[in-house]
Amino acid sequence: MTSSARPLLNRRLAEFGTTIFAEMSALALSTKSINLGQGFPDTDGPEEIREAAVRALRDGLGNQYPPGPGVPELRTAVAAHQQRRYGLRHDPDTEVLVTAGATEAIAATLLALVEPGDEVIALEPYYDSYAACIAMAGGRRVPVTLRPQHGENAGFRLDLDELRDAVTDRTRLLLINTPHNPTGTVLTPDELRAIADLAVERDLLVVTDEVYEHLVFDDAEHLPLATFPGMRERTVTIGSAGKTFSFTGWKVGWVTAAPELVAAVRSAKQFLTYVSSGPFQYAVAEALALPDTYFEALRADLRAKRDLLASGLAEAGFEVFRPAGTYFITTDIRPLGESDGFAFCRALPERAGVVAIPNAVFYDHRETGAPFVRFAFCKRTEVLEEAVRRLKASAG
Ligand SMILES: Cc1ncc(COP(=O)(O)O)c(C=O)c1O
C-alpha cells in the first residue's frame, strides 16, 4: 500500500470499478439462482469444431506464438466469410487482423485511432467495454440514446436527428453496434444508409461491432456498414467467433478494414497481447467455413428460445421488447410496479432464483436506463423453462 492520499486506480478508470457481471454472477452462485445475466451459452458449439481445436493442439499448430496478424488460415477464412456473406472483398494479408476476442479489437481500435480529447459517439445503452476503452484512450464519449417505443412494435430505435446533432468538430469516430446489445435492435438499411451518409459528409471514421451478425431473427437482416457507399475505406468492422460458434472462452475475434486502418489497429494490438489463442485460430478457420445449414440451425434454435423467454416474461408481467437480434431480451419492469432496475436485479435472486442485469449500467444517463432489465436466452430450453416458472411464481 502507498501512504500517499492518491488513489491507486488512475483518473481515467476511476469510474469503472468492478463490472456488474461479477457482482451478479457471485449472487447467482450464493443464491443458487439461474444466471440469465451474463451472455454466454450453457452448451458448447459444434463437436467437430471442438475436435478441430484438439487436432490443432495435438499437431502442434499454434502452440507457439502464431504470426502477429493471426494465422494465415484464419485470415483467409475471415476474408472468405465476408465475401461469401456480404460480397465484401478483403486481402487476408493486409486487411484482416485476428484479435483476442472482439474485446481486444475494440480496445486496440480505440487506442489506435483516438487522440486525447477526441469525441467518440456511441449508441446508448452501450456494451460496457466501450466506455472504459474510450476512457483509456483519453477520448470523450458522447452517447446517443436509443429511444424505447412501446406497444405493438415495441423496441429501441435510433433517432437520426439526435445522431446528427451529436457530431461536432471534435468528433473522431462513430462507434456503432448492430445487432445491438442489450436492446436486440438490428439497424435497418435506411438507418445504416443515414449513418453512412453522415460519416461521409462529416468525414468520420466508423467502428462497427458486428459480433452478433449471425444472430438475427424473423425478417431482420444484418447488413455490415462497410457495404454502404463511401464506407469501405473508413470503417473498421469487428467480428467474433464467441457468439457465432458458442465458444466464448476461446476469445478469437477479428478486425476487417482498409490496409491503413488495419495497420493502425495492429500497432496498438501488438502491445496488448501481441498474439493469442493459437490452436483455436485453426479451429475457428474451419468453423467459418461451415455450411449455411449450421448458421440456419443456430438462428432457429435461438429464435425458439427467444420466443419461449419473451412469452414467459410477458406472462410474468414484464413489458418485453422483442429482440430482432442478439441473445438478449430487454424488459421494462414498470408494469410490475418497479422502477429501479438495480434494486430489482439485486432482489431478484432471493425472490425468484433468477439473475438478470440492470440496463442502467450501460447508460451515462442512468435515470433513462433505470426501468430496463436484460435477460440472456442463450441457455438450454429446460433452464429457460425453469426460469420462466420461477419468475411467474414470484410474480404471484
Ligand atoms: C456488443 C459486444 N461486443 C463485444 C463483445 C465481446 O466479444 P468477445 O467475447 O469476442 O471479446 C460482446 C460480448 O458480450 C458484446 O456483447
Side-chain angles (χ1 to χ4, degrees):
M1 260 318 269
T2 162
S3 58
S4 100
R6 190 175 141 181
L8 291 174
L9 188 60
N10 70 44
R11 216 177 299 137
R12 291 187 302 288
L13 287 175
E15 67 173 292
F16 309 103
T18 343
T19 80
I20 188 79
F21 298 104
E23 180 187 343
M24 288 300 163
S25 290
L27 252 184
L29 275 181
S30 65
T31 59
K32 297 193 171 48
S33 292
I34 296 176
N35 191 352
L36 303 187
Q38 204 168 5
F40 61 89
D42 61 357
T43 41
D44 287 348
E47 184 56 31
E48 67 205 274
I49 301 306
R50 226 160 40 155
E51 282 305 315
V54 172
R55 215 182 324 115
L57 215 123
R58 287 223 177 90
D59 291 349
L61 292 173
N63 291 330
Q64 308 303 330
Y65 296 135
V71 303
E73 287 82 350
L74 178 53
R75 281 184 279 121
T76 303
V78 168
H81 170 271
Q82 295 303 98
Q83 161 121 46
R84 171 160 69 115
R85 293 269 155 194
Y86 311 120
L88 283 167
R89 285 177 170 278
H90 286 284
D91 178 345
D93 290 331
T94 57
E95 298 189 311
V96 180
L97 174 66
V98 176
T99 55
T103 305
E104 191 198 29
I106 293 160
T109 302
L110 292 168
L111 288 169
L113 301 179
V114 173
E115 288 286 3
D118 281 348
E119 292 178 358
V120 175
I121 294 179
L123 305 184
E124 177 186 71
Y126 44 74
Y127 179 59
D128 58 351
S129 87
Y130 298 173
C133 290
I134 294 167
M136 285 193 271
R140 206 173 80 73
R141 68 177 178 275
V142 176
V144 170
T145 310
L146 299 183
R147 303 289 173 190
Q149 289 173 5
H150 302 270
E152 188 83 336
N153 292 318
F156 285 74
R157 295 259 58 105
L158 173 62
D159 182 328
L160 291 164
D161 292 329
E162 273 188 53
L163 179 64
R164 182 168 282 281
D165 290 346
V167 177
T168 73
D169 293 343
R170 311 287 318 252
T171 307
R172 171 65 162 165
L173 60 87
L174 304 178
L175 178 48
I176 303 295
N177 170 216
T178 183
H180 182 261
N181 173 12
T183 63
T185 297
V186 177
L187 294 175
T188 63
D190 284 347
E191 288 167 335
L192 293 166
R193 196 167 300 111
I195 293 170
D197 289 348
L198 179 62
V200 171
E201 181 191 320
R202 301 299 297 263
D203 196 19
L204 303 173
L205 295 171
V206 176
V207 178
T208 167
D209 177 344
E210 303 185 358
V211 300
Y212 297 103
E213 62 190 310
H214 288 289
L215 312 190
V216 289
F217 316 117
D218 310 326
D219 303 334
E221 190 192 357
H222 171 70
L223 289 174
L225 254 170
T227 59
F228 285 79
M231 296 305 283
R232 176 68 175 76
E233 57 274 24
R234 65 177 67 246
T235 303
V236 175
T237 304
I238 293 173
S240 171
K243 318 292 171 185
T244 304
F245 302 111
S246 300
F247 289 116
T248 56
W250 289 8
K251 294 299 279 190
V252 177
W254 49 85
V255 158
T256 48
E260 315 76 61
L261 283 168
V262 164
V265 177
R266 199 167 57 225
S267 298
K269 183 246 159 24
Q270 66 191 340
F271 299 117
L272 293 174
T273 56
Y274 178 50
V275 291
S276 58
S277 310
F280 298 127
Q281 291 192 27
Y282 291 93
V284 171
E286 288 192 29
L288 282 166
L290 284 171
D292 288 348
T293 46
Y294 167 76
F295 298 90
E296 283 153 20
L298 173 77
R299 260 197 299 275
D301 177 55
L302 282 170
R303 190 184 55 224
K305 289 175 172 170
R306 175 202 63 175
D307 291 346
L308 193 171
L309 187 60
S311 349
L313 288 165
E315 285 162 23
F318 294 81
E319 182 186 5
V320 174
F321 299 92
R322 198 183 189 73
T326 76
Y327 41 49
F328 301 109
I329 294 180
T330 282
T331 60
D332 190 329
I333 56 174
R334 282 173 291 192
L336 297 167
E338 304 264 359
S339 55
D340 177 352
F342 270 108
F344 181 83
C345 287
R346 289 200 169 108
L348 197 63
E350 272 303 335
R351 204 170 76 212
V354 174
V355 164
I357 296 291
N359 283 24
V361 298
F362 307 124
Y363 283 80
D364 276 17
H365 307 101
R366 294 235 155 162
E367 65 297 346
T368 310
F372 305 116
V373 166
R374 187 193 83 175
F375 294 84
F377 57 85
C378 46
K379 308 292 174 185
R380 280 167 294 137
T381 302
E382 59 271 28
V383 172
L384 294 174
E385 282 168 350
E386 175 59 17
V388 164
R389 200 191 57 69
R390 293 184 185 188
L391 287 165
K392 286 207 271 195
S394 83

